RNA sequence: GCCGGUGUGAUGGAAUUGGCAGACGUAGUGGACUCAAAAUCCACCGCCAGCGAUGGCGUGCCGGUUCGAGUCCGGCCACCGGCACCA
């Protein structure tokens, strides 16, 4: 079959008949199947796109044939750094290169033959989209979820912009690998931390990979403990955060982060020089080194003491850079006996080590960091750790010296970027009125085209006077715009809400429509977004819900990650390794159906693996086999036999077995096994076909092949559609229901049992299916082969697993 | 260090969740068809011993539970991913 020409033919027909356009009348049967949209950085689709979109489209097609009204949109996450970096290198404007790339990718995506509803397409760089991204920003601002503050932020000198915590990997920029430095800047943040607890809690109800949920839990990093107030000799107080209030009687020092304001305030004149030097030194150490757990613990005594509120002991105050100012209260209590770091610190500075917890097993070694029983703790002696934590904090709380407290590792999301190619932040700064949001009626704040975007550490927009100069919406005086753009993750944090109402020009979406269409029923994309896009999207959904726009709090009910297709050498595909496999070549030779089918058959979908040429040939061979038998049976005019005997029953069994398995496997994205069952079914058809023509029931065979085409349709849509039409059908194969297994056909009259003697297989035994346990026992023991194997041994016990296995235990 | 995952023939990968390990493919071997090749079709294909029937071994390693373990439990090893001076 000339795959390329039939693919083109059917794509045109599908487009004309609008078969892939979502029908709003059927919203009650909706199934929102979403793949992560593409980033148009390269001009062409790579294998990764294909692997995400091809098999998932097959899943969607399967669901369609199961009676769902499918909404499967596609669009482009079009703002972002690569286009801008490309522009810096070549001089081609990001808008021009992006638009061109999108055009190419659209053509390729269409040639894939996926059932994307192009009428819902969105491109985040277009005004009618980013207008609503800005709307979202303003809404968050209005609701106290967007705020500006000066803070030490992650600065990437390579990309000339700040980055969110999530975009810093091992102290380096996730994009360009440049080492991140801390810079004090005034930036916009989204208050994702308001939702930390809910983001954590709601993970439990999601049908997501455990791994991804674990990653998010980790990232949110909840720790339950308490704050304990220490009073200084000066009368100043500070709180320490601890998860081990049970060890508070073992405190032998307290440590403040060097940035803590009390360090300078309380520092004694004698120690001032040493403390200033320490602060100076630690500020020079970059964040990565400072966060390294293996680094030697250092600190400096500030010449002042604090009082332990539980026993009124005087303990020295240190400034130590292993204490992070940004976590908890920026102050910790040092309990050397029961904390590794405190232990090392105490060793170095010769501080006392007091054991206050004993383990149950009498282990004497220190530090001992697990729970145990309290000692040296006055009235708490003998109490188990868990109980003591509560009791001590409760007592402290009564006198206002402590409280229970939960801390999260999660930080607010920094969304400002000093780059050009993004959605401008819709804020105005007026000398008189201060920070003023752009009125909704003035949206969008348009991104100007003529801008010098070559980076010099300042926002490119800051250099564009016609953009920067505006008037204050409140007082009408001259004012300046915010020169920064929004992190592209803001654009992608809500795109799934825009798709179902993508042409709405009055609102980002009509809540009535969205509440019917969402949440997304199946979301498929790479696992690399676990702590970024997937977390941000959940946050934005919850925020919009609390503003009253949405009736649901989770955007993606069910999530699947596709694996990664590696280069033939087993490494990740990369230009520098020269192992990149382009889909184009294969699509040119085999067509998109075969390429897709190979992706589905050759890998375990969620695992991925190295690319292999041989596999694709085998899949092409399989479709040839299907076509040959289809043609042969279609062209056989004479039907010499109408019997439905043993052979027909066998074939019918194979057919229904395939139907049952494919239905089951498709639901769980087990594409490779589904294809394997189809191959088995085709093998069974060939076996039947090899029979003498006089005993072949051609009419029945036609029926079987009809089912084969239906079964195959989601996997190879064009190929199946072509066979379906050659078979004389006028309507699309995708408007027919997917075959359902006939349970009766799956009940064989006989079963082959494996017969074991003392758990070792000795022989096989065929028995009628509906035998009782007793009958089976009798039959087994009466069998000649069994008798022979048994010899004169005594049967002790007989285990029967229905329809599977019989185990005779004998002596 | 903590969290999660993976480990099965030459190879991609299966195994209905405790019941015949290796489905379905690829590669390989032998055969049919062909002048020949390709394509196609048929058979074999975990390892060791044996001409053979057959026997022994076998799912990273060691142990356990069980009539029965790739699957459950305990203890290790290796690799991959994430988090990590988070108090």
């Amino acid at each position: 079959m000339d795959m390329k020409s039939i693919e083109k033919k059917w794509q045109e027909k599908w487009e004309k008949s609008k078969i892939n356009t979502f029908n709003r009348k059927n919203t009650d049967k909706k199934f929102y199947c979403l793949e992560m949209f593409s980033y148009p950085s390269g001009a062409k689709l790579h294998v990764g796109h294909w692997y995400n979109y091809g098999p998932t489209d097959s899943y969607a097609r399967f669901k369609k044939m199961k009676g769902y009204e499918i909404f499967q949109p596609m669009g482009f996450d079009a703002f972002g750094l690569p286009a801008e970096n490309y522009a810096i290198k070549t001089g081609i404007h990001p808008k021009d290169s992006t638009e061109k790339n999108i055009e190419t990718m659209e053509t390729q995506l269409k040639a894939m033959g996926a059932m994307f509803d192009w009428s819902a397409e969105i491109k985040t760089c277009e005004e009618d989209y980013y207008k609503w991204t800005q709307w979202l920003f303003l809404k968050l601002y209005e609701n106290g979820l967007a705020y500006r503050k000066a803070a030490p932020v992650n600065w990437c000198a390579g990309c000339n912009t700040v980055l969110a915590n999530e975009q810093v990997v091992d102290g380096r920029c996730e994009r360009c690998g440049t080492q991140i430095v801390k810079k004090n800047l005034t930036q916009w943040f989204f208050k994702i931390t308001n939702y930390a607890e809910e983001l954590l809690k709601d993970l439990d109800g999601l049908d997501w990979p455990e791994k991804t949920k674990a990653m998010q839990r980790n990232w949110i990093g909840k720790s339950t403990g308490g704050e304990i107030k220490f009073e200084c000799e000066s009368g100043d107080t500070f709180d320490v955060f601890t998860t081990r209030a049970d060890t508070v009687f073992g405190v032998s020092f307290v440590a403040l982060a060097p940035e803590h304001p009390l360090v300078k305030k309380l520092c004694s004149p004698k120690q001032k020089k040493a403390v200033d030097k320490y602060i100076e030194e630690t500020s020079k150490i970059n964040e990565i080194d400072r966060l390294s757990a293996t680094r030697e613990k250092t600190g400096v005594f500030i010449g002042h003491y604090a009082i332990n509120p539980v026993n009124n002991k005087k303990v020295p105050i240190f400034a130590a850079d292993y204490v992070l100012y940004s976590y908890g209260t920026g102050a910790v209590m040092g309990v050397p006996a029961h904390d590794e770091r405190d232990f090392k610190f105490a060793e170095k500075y010769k501080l006392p080590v007091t054991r206050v917890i004993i383990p149950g097993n009498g282990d004497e070694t220190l530090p001992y960091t697990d729970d145990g029983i309290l000692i040296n703790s006055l009235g708490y002696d003998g109490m188990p750790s868990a109980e003591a934590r509560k009791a001590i904090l409760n007592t402290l709380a009564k006198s206002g010296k402590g409280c229970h407290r939960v801390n999260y590792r999660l930080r607010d999301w920094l969304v400002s970027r000093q780059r050009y190619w993004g959605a401008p932040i819709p804020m105005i700064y007026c000398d008189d009125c201060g920070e003023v949001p752009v009125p909704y009626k003035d949206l969008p704040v348009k991104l100007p085209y003529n801008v010098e975007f070559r980076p010099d550490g300042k926002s490119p927009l800051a250099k564009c006077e016609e953009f920067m100069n505006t008037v204050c919406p409140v007082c009408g005086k001259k004012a300046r715009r915010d020169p920064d753009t929004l992190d592209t993750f803001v654009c992608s944090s809500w795109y799934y809400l825009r798709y179902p109402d993508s042409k709405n020009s009055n609102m980002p979406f009509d809540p009535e429509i969205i509440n019917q269409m969402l949440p997304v029923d199946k979301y498929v994309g790479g696992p690399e977004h676990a702590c970024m896009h997937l977390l941000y999207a959940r946050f934005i959904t919850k925020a919009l819900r609390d503003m009253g726009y949405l009736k649901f709090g989770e955007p993606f009910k069910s999530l699947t990650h596709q694996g990664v297709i590696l280069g033939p050498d087993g490494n990740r595909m990369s230009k520098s390794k020269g192992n990149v496999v382009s889909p184009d070549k294969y699509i040119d030779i085999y067509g998109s159906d075969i390429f897709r089918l190979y992706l589905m058959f050759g890998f375990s979908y969620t695992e991925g693996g190295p690319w292999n040429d041989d596999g694709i040939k085998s899949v092409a061979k399989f479709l040839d086999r299907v076509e040959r038998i289809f043609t042969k049976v279609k062209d056989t005019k004479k039907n010499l036999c109408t019997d439905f005997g043993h052979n027909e029953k066998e074939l019918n069994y194979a057919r229904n077995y395939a139907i049952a398995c494919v239905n089951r496997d498709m639901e769980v994205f087990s594409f490779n096994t589904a294809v394997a069952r189809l191959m088995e079914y085709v093998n069974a058809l060939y076996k039947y076909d090899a029979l003498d023509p006089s005993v072949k029931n051609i009419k029945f065979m036609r029926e079987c092949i009809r089912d084969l085409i239906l079964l195959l349709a989601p996997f190879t849509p064009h190929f199946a559609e072509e066979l379906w039409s050659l078979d004389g059908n006028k309507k699309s194969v995708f408007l027919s229901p997917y075959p359902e297994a006939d349970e009766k056909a799956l009940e064989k009259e006989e079963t082959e049992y494996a017969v074991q003697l003392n758990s070792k297989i000795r022989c096989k035994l065929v028995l009628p299916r509906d035998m009782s346990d007793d009958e089976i026992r009798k039959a087994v023991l009466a069998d000649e082969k069994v008798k022979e194997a048994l010899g004169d041994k005594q049967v002790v016990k007989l285990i029967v697993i229905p329809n599977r296995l019989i185990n005779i235990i004998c002596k």
Side-chain angles (χ1 to χ4, degrees), chain A residues 701-711 724 727 729:
Chain A
M701 239 186 135
R702 283 210 186 97
E703 197 186 299
C704 287
I705 284 177
R706 192 188 129 94
D707 270 358
L708 175 65
I709 300 168
L710 288 166
L711 285 171
W724 189 248
D727 205 28
N729 296 290

Side-chain angles (χ1 to χ4, degrees), chain A residues 39-192:
Chain A
Y39 187 84
S41 65
K44 287 185 166 176
L45 292 188
H46 52 71
V47 178
H49 289 121
W50 264 93
Y51 194 54
N52 185 349
Y53 303 155
T56 307
D57 176 64
S58 293
Y59 172 78
R61 287 181 180 276
F62 164 73
K63 282 289 189 184
K64 182 183 177 77
M65 292 175 80
K66 294 303 274 184
Y68 291 95
E69 180 69 34
I70 302 298
F71 180 55
Q72 188 181 223
M74 182 46 71
F76 295 91
D77 189 11
F79 272 138
L81 275 177
E84 197 170 338
N85 289 339
Y86 180 73
I88 292 160
K89 218 163 71 187
T90 63
I92 300 170
H93 194 280
K95 185 165 191 285
D96 301 337
S97 67
T98 301
E99 279 173 1
K100 195 163 162 276
N101 285 349
I102 287 178
E103 215 173 291
T104 315
M105 286 176 86
E106 277 170 347
T107 313
Q108 290 194 305
L109 283 163
K110 283 176 184 164
M112 219 169 105
M115 46 188 298
F116 296 129
D117 182 348
W118 288 103
S119 70
E121 184 183 12
I122 53 182
K123 301 167 192 169
T124 60
C125 65
E126 289 187 340
E127 279 172 26
D128 69 353
Y129 185 86
Y130 74 70
K131 173 182 179 178
W132 302 113
T133 305
Q134 292 171 339
W135 173 93
L136 174 68
F137 179 94
L138 293 176
K139 281 292 165 193
L140 291 167
Y141 179 75
E142 215 174 277
N143 287 275
L145 292 169
Y147 66 95
R148 206 158 79 117
K149 75 166 180 197
V153 293
N154 307 304
W155 178 264
C156 171
C159 297
N160 273 295
T161 183
V162 299
L163 298 174
N165 286 337
E166 289 80 0
Q167 291 165 321
V168 180
V169 178
D170 291 334
R172 293 174 179 277
C173 171
E174 62 139 2
R175 194 168 290 287
C176 72
T178 306
Q179 201 157 77
I180 297 304
V181 291
K182 285 284 172 184
K183 233 184 177 180
N184 261 302
L185 286 173
T186 303
Q187 302 280 291
W188 283 99
F189 290 84
F190 285 169
K191 237 179 170 161
I192 190 171

